[in-house]
Amino acid sequence: MSTLRLTIGEKQVEVASGTSLLQAAREADVYIPSLCDHPDLPPWKDLDEWTEVFQGETRIAGDPSANRPEPGCGLCVVMVEGDDEPVRACVTAAADGMQVRIEGEDLRLLRQQRLGEIFTHHPHACLTCAQKVGCSREPCSTDVPVDERCCPLLGNCELERVADHVGIPADAVRYHPQNLPRITDDPLFERDFNLCIACTRCVRACRDLRGVDVIGLTFHEGRYRIGTRAPSLVDSECRFCTACVEVCPTGALRDRDLPAGKRDDALVACRTGCPAHTDVPVYVGLAAEGRFAESAAVVRERAPLVHVLGHICFHPCESVCRRGEVNDPVAIRAVKRAAAEHDDGRWKEAYPRPASTGKRVAIVGAGPAGLSAAWFLNAVGHEVILFDREEGVGGMLRSAIPAFRLPREDLEREVTDIIDLGIEVRTRFELGRDGSVDDLLNDGFDALLLAMGAGKSKQIPLPGSDLSGVFWGLEFLKECTIGPSPELSGQCVVVGGGNVAMDVARSAWRLGADSVDLFCLESEKDIPAYAPEIGEAREEGVTIHHQWGPVEITGEEEAVSGIEFRRCLKVFDDEGRFAPAYDDDVTSSFPAETVILAIGQEVEAVAGDTDRAGVFRAGDCLSGPSSVIEAIASGRTAAEEIDTFLGGSGDLTLRLVERDPVPVHLGREEGFAGKVRIDVPSLPSDERRSFDCLSPGLDAGAAAMEGSRCLRCDMRLEMAQVILPPRLWLDFTPELVAEVPSEPGAYQLLDGAGKVLTIAGVPDLREALLVEMEDEGEVVYFLYQEDPMYTRLESELLQQCLQEQGEMPGGSFDDLDDLF
């Protein structure tokens, strides 16, 4: 393909033949206004019209005989030397030696004229208001009718940015409300056809980029109209990828409840919601293709205990899965377990084995936090020795999680895989008894990580707790998992409302208790145990009694005979502190042959200087009792800190499988939105008396089918950003600051990416900026605006920053009280 040389504006450009002038300008970083162009999309000229479209329940029939205006927004007009008339840069091919003028009064007026035509059918009163900067639209200080105001994107809108650049014509026609459909009850995003300017980006994104072809256009009553194939998105076979929302230049298609400053995090909420930030869309997508070994490898890049998590992760990713707004969230944990069960171990070939750094790290506690830290530190060449007080490795996974939830063979296989990477293990080592913090650091270790779990039951002084037949929760579970298991019969009472209490109650039933009753302080809506654990406990016959606190365990001949309770009115005080309040006049007695107290857990105190350099903490030892995935994430974070301390980069990124590019094309799939979540099978309650695994999990076919329900929200993050008008930023240099007038006003300081770091209203702009120059910070650009009412301008700019960035300058929310 030949190379063309041409001039666009003041810039010499080289492009391949066949390139449009608009594309050539984009490649050369030269801005030409446009509202219909997008870097990912073909031009409008190739679009076919539909005979009809739907805007909600409103059917719009096309008029095949009407004369059509030239398609496109018409803002990209330019003058080519030698031509008498301006041309549209989006459909004009570049030619060798071409001289292209992109500015001038004639072009400005043409663009303004076209913008005025667009605003005939789009509300724009706010864009011409002198008080628009930082305005929240409600209430309106000039009493503009609501239907004539801009949408909530005001201050963060592409159309607004283009209008500011082009200029709204002084004779722009006032917008008259059209009362077109507003659809707010669809999943994930809202549609307001009053704001549509028929740029057709959404049509091309849905048809050409995703291949779903849900959105189309027709010509009706003198203008192009956009709509769907059927009245609803579901009936139109929408895949809910929201590519259409991404490319919309107005608020016609708008994400629902998406915070401005945390947009990317909110769009891929499953990945953000995972404490370890596992790449959920990627590993679920691989499982959907039956590529389970690769799927498991992707999980291991952030969380090495894939089998464990597939069984017992409390899956916070599922609670925020955006598929849940369509019908039900993807069963992510079940897909992960299937990936682990069909893993062929190919990740071992990709796991790095670098040369030794010569640094030694002691990790005390071989539970999920310690194993995670060991996995990542070993991968960068540090020598890692794991210490644990128990005989085996796994920490509380081994000693406190019942086998019906986490089969021992799966735990042992996973632990062995990690240890076999070259990690030394020393068991039966108890910190304090067998060595102190100082001893370890003086014994040739360069860093020490304390990663002990909260493996001790929290105890309260309860009368009768020393009777025979009384157990404490974690110690009881340890007897169940490691042995010897206690033999139970008769009535068993469990006290506590957390996950440990649920495990205790279910284990007691398996050990022979005729009935199990669980009493907790919390109400049904406040009980802290995870809902699935509560549901499974109830399936197994556990009766839960809410809002009761223990008073005394009663006994006969030094053995338990019952327990007394009193009504709990509330668990926390007004400051959120644990401070139960009781009604002593409301009591209850309950007979029992066994009482198990599972009211909390704690980490045993560590003797020695734990604040000295080189000592780090992770997991329960750092945060208090936490989940397995939180402990794994904490272990990785600690490993990053340790690597940095030892002279490394702190970058512990692992790539255990070659990644495919994030897909662009989805294609139509009949019934996609209605695909229901596949229930994970479990044993009938009458077959659960043993400690055998409760659920066989999903087979390969079911796991792939479930994975195929994923919306692939990550695809949207791979889309190119639209080209916006250039900001009028000034380089933060002494020369330019010296040219600033000594007048009242407000200034903004920005970093190299254009993020606002500081906003301040001051009586003397130059003086204040000269003071800012003395601070060597991240500032690269600045803006200023003269205004005698500089405190008001500062407030308006702060509100504008909050709208655009979703946070105050510098990422702080400290100034919100002052702002409002």
Side-chain angles (χ1 to χ4, degrees):
M1 186 176 292
S2 60
T3 299
L4 308 175
R5 293 174 176 82
L6 63 155
T7 302
I8 301 179
E10 303 295 328
K11 201 162 189 176
Q12 302 293 316
V13 179
E14 290 188 7
V15 294
S17 61
T19 304
S20 72
L21 288 179
L22 189 58
Q23 184 180 355
R26 184 192 306 130
E27 291 177 9
D29 200 24
V30 174
Y31 179 71
I32 297 176
S34 175
L35 285 167
C36 59
D37 177 70
H38 189 281
D40 285 336
L41 305 177
W44 181 347
K45 63 183 178 65
D46 299 324
L47 280 180
D48 296 324
E49 293 181 25
W50 291 357
T51 57
E52 65 177 14
V53 297
F54 287 86
Q55 295 182 347
E57 297 295 331
T58 303
R59 175 181 172 272
I60 300 174
D63 184 353
S65 62
N67 292 326
R68 268 81 167 147
E70 190 174 1
C73 67
L75 296 178
C76 66
V77 287
V78 297
M79 287 297 300
V80 176
E81 187 176 89
D83 289 354
D84 296 329
E85 298 292 333
V87 296
R88 297 191 180 202
C90 61
V91 293
T92 302
D96 200 47
M98 188 178 271
Q99 301 282 327
V100 182
R101 179 165 58 86
I102 62 173
E103 300 293 347
E105 183 66 9
D106 55 342
L107 296 177
R108 184 182 70 84
L109 292 174
L110 280 172
R111 290 167 182 165
Q112 286 189 354
Q113 177 185 346
R114 181 59 189 125
L115 191 62
E117 294 169 0
I118 290 171
F119 278 142
T120 301
H121 302 293
H122 189 284
H124 57 274
C126 299
L127 301 185
T128 58
C129 178
Q131 301 179 49
K132 76 166 186 172
V133 176
C135 179
S136 61
R137 300 168 54 254
E138 297 286 350
C140 177
S141 59
T142 55
D143 293 326
V144 173
V146 172
D147 286 347
E148 296 181 34
R149 299 178 201 168
C150 291
C151 75
L153 293 184
L154 180 66
N156 195 27
C157 168
E158 181 184 347
L159 176 59
E160 178 185 359
R161 287 279 300 274
V162 172
D164 287 344
H165 180 83
V166 171
I168 300 174
D171 59 352
V173 177
R174 178 178 175 178
Y175 167 77
H176 295 285
Q178 304 168 79
N179 299 315
L180 299 177
R182 291 183 177 91
I183 302 168
T184 60
D185 56 356
D186 277 332
L188 298 175
F189 63 97
E190 300 176 359
R191 295 179 285 159
D192 187 345
F193 292 98
N194 298 281
L195 304 176
C196 178
I197 61 172
C199 68
T200 72
R201 282 187 189 171
C202 59
V203 179
R204 288 170 282 153
C206 190
R207 186 196 71 170
D208 300 297
L209 197 64
R210 297 291 185 251
V212 182
D213 208 19
V214 163
I215 309 172
L217 84 157
T218 194
F219 195 79
H220 178 80
E221 294 184 353
R223 63 191 179 108
Y224 289 102
R225 306 289 288 273
I226 307 295
T228 52
R229 287 191 176 275
S232 74
L233 292 175
V234 170
D235 291 339
S236 299
E237 304 295 355
C238 179
R239 296 289 299 266
F240 295 97
C241 68
T242 67
C244 56
V245 182
E246 181 67 21
V247 299
C248 181
T250 73
L253 300 173
R254 193 166 66 248
D255 291 301
R256 184 183 297 115
D257 302 327
L258 202 65
K262 304 293 183 182
R263 169 186 171 278
D264 289 4
D265 289 347
L267 283 175
V268 192
C270 54
R271 187 163 61 201
T272 308
C274 173
H277 300 301
T278 54
D279 205 337
V280 177
V282 171
Y283 76 72
V284 169
L286 288 168
E289 298 175 15
R291 298 161 64 182
F292 294 110
E294 294 165 83
S295 175
V298 170
V299 180
R300 290 184 198 276
E301 292 174 353
R302 303 285 307 188
L305 299 169
V306 188
H307 272 284
V308 170
L309 293 172
H311 283 288
I312 63 171
C313 183
F314 78 107
H315 48 77
C317 52
E318 293 184 25
S319 64
V320 295
C321 172
R322 283 160 60 86
R323 173 79 201 203
E325 293 192 40
V326 179
N327 52 5
D328 294 305
V330 176
I332 299 170
R333 184 179 73 181
V335 172
K336 178 167 41 237
R337 177 178 167 185
E341 291 175 345
H342 294 86
D343 184 9
D344 60 12
R346 70 182 66 176
W347 61 267
K348 297 176 184 178
E349 299 175 6
Y351 183 85
R353 290 170 173 80
S356 173
T357 63
K359 304 294 185 180
R360 302 177 74 229
V361 182
I363 299 178
V364 180
L371 287 166
S372 174
W375 162 273
F376 288 107
L377 289 169
N378 185 70
V380 292
H382 302 310
E383 182 185 352
V384 179
I385 294 88
L386 271 173
F387 296 84
D388 200 273
R389 67 193 296 178
E390 302 295 341
E391 186 173 350
V393 174
M396 293 182 63
L397 297 174
R398 183 171 177 270
S399 65
I401 306 295
F404 60 83
R405 291 186 56 216
L406 177 59
R408 286 298 162 264
E409 58 272 20
D410 286 349
L411 173 61
E412 295 299 333
R413 184 185 314 121
E414 198 127 77
V415 166
T416 299
D417 280 343
I418 295 175
I419 299 305
D420 285 350
L421 296 171
I423 297 168
E424 182 181 343
V425 176
R426 301 179 187 178
T427 56
R428 295 189 174 278
F429 174 93
E430 184 171 339
L431 195 62
R433 182 192 68 191
D434 302 307
S436 66
V437 168
D438 293 334
D439 291 337
L440 287 171
L441 289 176
N442 293 333
D443 192 28
F445 288 102
D446 299 288
L448 167 63
L449 175 62
L450 303 176
M452 301 84 73
K456 180 182 178 183
S457 291
K458 185 177 291 184
Q459 299 188 6
I460 56 174
L462 185 67
S465 60
D466 56 345
L467 291 169
S468 174
V470 176
F471 299 86
W472 293 97
L474 288 176
E475 289 71 22
F476 173 80
L477 288 176
K478 185 174 181 181
E479 291 184 37
C480 295
T481 56
I482 297 178
S485 298
E487 295 182 4
L488 304 184
S489 61
Q491 293 176 286
C492 175
V493 168
V494 177
V495 180
N499 294 310
V500 169
M502 296 300 159
D503 284 344
V504 163
R506 299 172 68 188
S507 296
W509 178 67
R510 284 167 170 78
L511 290 173
D514 295 329
S515 65
V516 179
D517 289 82
L518 185 147
F519 291 79
C520 63
L521 298 175
E522 298 84 5
S523 65
E524 185 167 7
K525 68 180 181 65
D526 294 327
I527 187 169
Y530 302 140
E533 306 295 327
I534 296 171
E536 290 174 352
R538 284 181 167 142
E539 289 174 5
E540 294 167 8
V542 176
T543 302
I544 301 176
H545 308 263
H546 294 280
Q547 295 183 266
W548 293 103
V551 176
E552 179 183 10
I553 301 173
T554 58
E556 298 175 1
E557 298 180 359
E558 299 186 355
V560 171
S561 62
I563 183 169
E564 305 285 338
F565 293 97
R566 56 179 172 170
R567 173 66 70 190
C568 180
L569 301 176
K570 64 177 184 177
V571 180
F572 301 97
D573 64 17
D574 294 339
E575 302 298 322
R577 293 170 299 205
F578 181 75
Y582 300 97
D583 184 347
D584 292 330
D585 294 330
V586 181
T587 61
S588 177
S589 300
F590 208 88
E593 283 80 15
T594 303
V595 172
I596 309 173
L597 302 167
I599 58 171
Q601 56 197 103
E602 57 190 9
V603 179
E604 294 188 42
V606 178
D609 183 6
T610 59
D611 294 326
R612 63 180 286 184
V615 179
F616 300 84
R617 291 175 179 265
D620 296 351
C621 197
L622 175 67
S623 63
S626 58
S627 68
V628 174
I629 187 62
E630 288 168 331
I632 289 172
S634 179
R636 178 192 169 106
T637 299
E640 292 170 342
E641 295 170 352
I642 291 169
D643 182 55
T644 302
F645 174 77
L646 297 177
S649 67
D651 180 4
L652 303 184
T653 302
L654 282 181
R655 276 292 176 263
L656 301 180
V657 63
E658 191 69 31
R659 297 288 187 97
D660 295 335
V662 174
V664 172
H665 188 271
L666 286 171
R668 287 182 65 79
E669 181 179 341
E670 185 175 349
F672 174 79
K675 292 172 74 171
V676 297
R677 178 180 168 119
I678 298 177
D679 290 332
V680 181
S682 60
L683 295 174
S685 56
D686 59 357
E687 296 180 19
R688 298 185 191 176
R689 275 282 182 170
S690 74
F691 279 81
D692 292 341
C693 184
L694 183 65
S695 169
L698 298 179
D699 61 32
M705 181 67 70
E706 181 61 19
S708 73
R709 297 179 61 243
C710 178
L711 302 182
R712 289 310 302 258
C713 302
D714 58 328
M715 294 172 66
R716 184 165 161 189
L717 300 189
E718 300 301 314
M719 295 180 68
Q721 293 298 299
V722 70
I723 309 301
L724 293 172
R727 296 279 196 183
L728 300 178
W729 297 337
L730 301 172
D731 291 333
F732 195 53
T733 64
E735 294 79 12
L736 290 180
V737 169
E739 296 177 8
V740 175
S742 293
E743 297 292 337
Y747 64 85
Q748 303 179 59
L749 305 180
L750 306 94
D751 65 13
K755 183 175 181 179
V756 179
L757 302 174
T758 302
I759 292 175
V762 294
D764 188 320
L765 284 165
R766 185 193 299 166
E767 180 182 355
L769 287 167
L770 287 171
V771 172
E772 295 279 11
M773 291 285 306
E774 298 172 4
D775 180 22
E776 294 184 5
E778 305 174 65
V779 181
V780 177
Y781 305 109
F782 77 104
L783 293 167
Y784 70 91
Q785 185 175 342
E786 297 177 50
D787 193 329
M789 305 291 288
Y790 58 85
T791 55
R792 184 188 68 185
L793 178 58
E794 176 187 355
S795 176
E796 291 172 349
L797 291 171
L798 286 169
Q799 292 184 58
Q800 177 180 274
C801 177
L802 192 60
Q803 289 171 346
E804 293 184 358
Q805 295 185 176
E807 59 189 12
M808 297 293 280
S812 168
F813 287 89
D814 296 342
D815 298 327
L816 284 178
D817 290 340
D818 295 337
L819 176 59
F820 296 107

